[in-house]
Structures are given as structure tokens and as C-alpha cells.
Amino acid sequence: MTRLAALISTLTLIVLTACGNLGTSTPSTETTHVRLPMGFVANVQFAPWYVAMERGYFEKEGIELEFDYGDYDTKGVQLVAAGWTPFAIASGDQVLKARAQGMPVVTFVNWWQRFPVAVVSLEESGIQAPEDLAGRRVGIPETFGAASYIGWKALTSATDLQEERVELEVIGYAALENLTVGRVEAAVVYANNEPVQLEQRGYETNLIPVADYAPLVSNGVIASEEVLEDRPELVRAFARAFLRGLQDTMNDPDAAFEICRNYVEGLDENERVQRAVLEASLEYWGNGPLGRSEPEAWRNTVEVMRNADLLEADVDAEQAFTNTFLP
């Protein structure tokens, strides 16, 4: 079976599986209904979306937005490519992989302007810079195409750290447990998550953000080339509504956290940690004009993924994003 035939078969299966669960209803003359693939469960890191929803920003744009939680880590990209839903949240590496496979998806809003992957260690380890990782045991969730692995490859290629001098160990998503018992001396994590939890538990940490050494693309909002061409006003309206929610969250995170209580279960029981996660996330959402993609970050991500053999074919970075639809 050719790659194109396999791709068509895969997309057909995904659409059939999602039938009746995800997609857009036939839009009326006044309102367009959109189901947005989200993460597995509601989370405080989706605060900008909840703020935009609660304050009626989507409704004012003629969009009836519905959050659809599920295992959409990569399926959201595929569903957009298949035309089953107009928009999804996806990381830059997922967009580039999809384009390498012939799926014409494009990021039109860059949500996370700083790449959130970092290497964390306990202060007692003395690890403060990438070169300090030489000769150390470093935990990583996985060693294939996940953002953590891409971030690790970018860090080693952008610094003097020689990868073969590091004892890299796959530990899954158990960085807290492995660090605190000394199984590893450092771990590749999301800077707005595990380091926050460690500090909330009383541990002093050192952090090496990948973004300090290599600009990479992270999460954004995507659409297909067809939707961008045929429904530009819907795309602009969706971008406006989301970015209003994002700006409000940046301006008043306390109010945003209160809104999250209406969408996220268990915030009362875990309020201190979740507030800290939201505060840490703000640093990665705003590093310039909200929503804007930087060409250098896209080109660098393509180069890192190509060198790590994570792309099935060459990809033109300039075609993977657009800033045309930003307010």
C-alpha cells in the first residue's frame, strides 16, 4: 500500500470512529457550531478557553463552541485534515509531522509562545546549566516524537552538551517519583507542571528551559488549508474570540482561575498547586504579540525534527503557519 493510500485509509477510519461524536453541525445563517477537540480532561491550563466561553466572546462572534474532551493528542490534527472539524489545538511538531504525511493543516494562532519543555533537577544536584548534565542520569518520558524528546534534542544540539555523555533513561511521566528517590538526577519535563509540583512539596529546584537555548514551536490553534481559504471570516472570528480570552487571562489570572472552577473538577482540593500551574503557564503564553508565530521558531523546529529523523518527508516551515488571521 502506498503512503498516500495508507493515509486516506487512516483518515477514513478516524472519521468513521468519530462519527456522531466530533465535528460541526450544519451552520445556520446566524450561528456556527464547533466542537473543539481538547485534552483528555478539563484542566486549568485551558483557562483562556474557559474565560472566552464564560464571557461570551465566541457567542458574540456567532460561534457556538463545545469542548470535546478525549484522547485527541494526535487525532485532532487528523480530524481537521479530514474536514470533520474546522479547528483543533495542536503542537507545532504535530503540525509538521502531519504536513510531512500530506495533511494540509496550518497553525493560525500561536498560543504557547515559549516552548515549555525544560530539564529540572533538585538544587542539591548542583545542575545549573546544560553542560552540568554530562555524566548524569537524566529521565525522559519517551525517546520518540513527543515534545519532550524534541526539546531534549534541541537542547543538546544548541549547546556544548554531548548527548552520548548523558545516561538517558526512559521513565514515563513519573519525574517526581524518580527525582525525589534519586533514581535520576534530572528529568525532562514541562516547566509549568512538574517543577511547580516539586516546589509546592517543599523541594528546591534548578530549571534549564529549552527555550533559553533554542526557539521551538509549541501549542497553537490549527485549521486546514481549505478552511482558511473558504471560510476566512470564521477563522478570524475564532481567533478573535480565543485571543480575547487569552488576553483577559494574562491580565487577571485570579479571575481566570475562578472561572476555571466552573469547568475543572477538584480545584478546591488542589487549589494551591493548580494556581501555581496557571501562574507558571502565563510565562509561556505571552512573549510577544499574542497569537503570532515566529518564522525562526518554525524553521528551527523543522531542523531539529529532521536531524532526529522525526519527519517522513521534507517540510516547508513557511507553509505550516500563518499570521494572516490575527486581529
Side-chain angles (χ1 to χ4, degrees):
M1 180 183 292
T2 66
R3 189 177 68 180
L4 179 58
L7 173 62
I8 293 173
S9 176
T10 300
L11 291 178
T12 300
L13 178 60
I14 291 170
V15 170
L16 290 174
T17 302
C19 184
N21 177 52
L22 184 64
T24 59
S25 62
T26 303
S28 68
T29 56
E30 296 181 353
T31 303
T32 300
H33 179 236
V34 175
R35 276 189 177 178
L36 184 69
M38 306 291 283
F40 188 66
V41 295
N43 190 281
V44 71
Q45 293 179 62
F46 294 128
W49 297 96
Y50 303 145
V51 171
M53 174 74 88
E54 195 77 5
R55 294 181 173 172
Y57 296 155
F58 286 102
E59 183 180 2
K60 292 174 184 177
E61 295 288 355
I63 298 170
E64 183 184 46
L65 182 63
E66 179 183 352
F67 300 132
D68 197 334
Y69 299 98
D71 185 15
Y72 295 125
D73 186 37
T74 59
K75 290 179 183 177
V77 175
Q78 297 167 328
L79 289 166
V80 166
W84 192 249
T85 183
F87 308 117
I89 301 168
S91 62
D93 60 281
Q94 291 173 359
V95 171
L96 294 172
K97 288 178 190 175
R99 293 191 68 87
Q101 295 169 3
M103 290 183 273
V105 295
V106 179
T107 294
F108 66 93
V109 173
N110 183 29
W111 174 11
W112 292 69
Q113 294 192 338
R114 272 173 60 84
F115 191 71
V117 173
V119 178
V120 68
S121 59
L122 301 184
E123 186 179 47
E124 62 199 42
S125 70
I127 298 172
Q128 297 183 341
E131 55 267 27
D132 296 332
L133 295 169
R136 306 292 190 117
R137 294 189 313 279
V138 178
I140 191 169
E142 52 200 13
T143 54
F144 49 94
S148 54
Y149 183 59
I150 293 169
W152 172 253
K153 299 295 286 189
L155 184 67
T156 57
S157 64
T159 65
D160 294 330
L161 177 63
Q162 297 177 348
E163 195 169 358
E164 60 272 15
R165 296 190 61 197
V166 179
E167 186 180 340
L168 200 63
E169 183 174 342
V170 176
I171 59 173
Y173 292 90
L176 301 184
E177 295 81 352
N178 281 273
L179 276 171
T180 54
V181 301
R183 180 180 175 185
V184 297
E185 297 165 274
V188 183
V189 297
Y190 282 93
N192 64 321
N193 192 349
E194 288 91 346
V196 173
Q197 295 190 49
L198 284 168
E199 290 169 4
Q200 291 295 318
R201 296 182 185 184
Y203 292 96
E204 295 185 357
T205 63
N206 291 327
L207 196 67
I208 305 173
V210 172
D212 287 353
Y213 299 88
L216 296 174
V217 180
S218 188
N219 285 2
V221 188
I222 70 167
S224 67
E225 292 179 358
E226 181 179 0
V227 168
L228 296 179
E229 181 177 353
D230 295 345
R231 308 180 74 182
E233 289 309 313
L234 174 62
V235 178
R236 290 189 178 92
F238 199 84
R240 280 194 300 267
F242 168 67
L243 289 174
R244 288 185 69 184
L246 178 57
Q247 186 66 71
D248 284 4
T249 304
M250 301 288 292
N251 292 343
D252 193 348
D254 288 337
F257 188 85
E258 291 305 311
I259 288 175
C260 285
R261 295 185 191 276
N262 299 328
Y263 297 85
V264 183
E265 295 183 2
L267 284 191
D268 293 340
E269 295 81 2
N270 200 20
E271 181 171 335
R272 188 178 66 175
V273 172
Q274 292 305 310
R275 276 186 179 272
V277 168
L278 178 58
E279 291 285 350
S281 300
L282 301 179
E283 300 178 18
Y284 291 85
W285 294 343
N287 193 41
L290 294 186
R292 178 176 173 80
S293 284
E294 294 301 332
E296 179 187 1
W298 282 94
R299 289 193 293 266
N300 199 46
T301 306
V302 168
E303 182 179 358
V304 170
M305 294 181 68
R306 184 189 297 121
N307 292 340
D309 295 325
L310 297 176
L311 293 175
E312 295 185 15
D314 198 18
V315 176
D316 183 352
E318 305 292 334
Q319 300 299 314
F321 72 94
T322 178
N323 292 317
T324 303
F325 299 92
L326 299 179

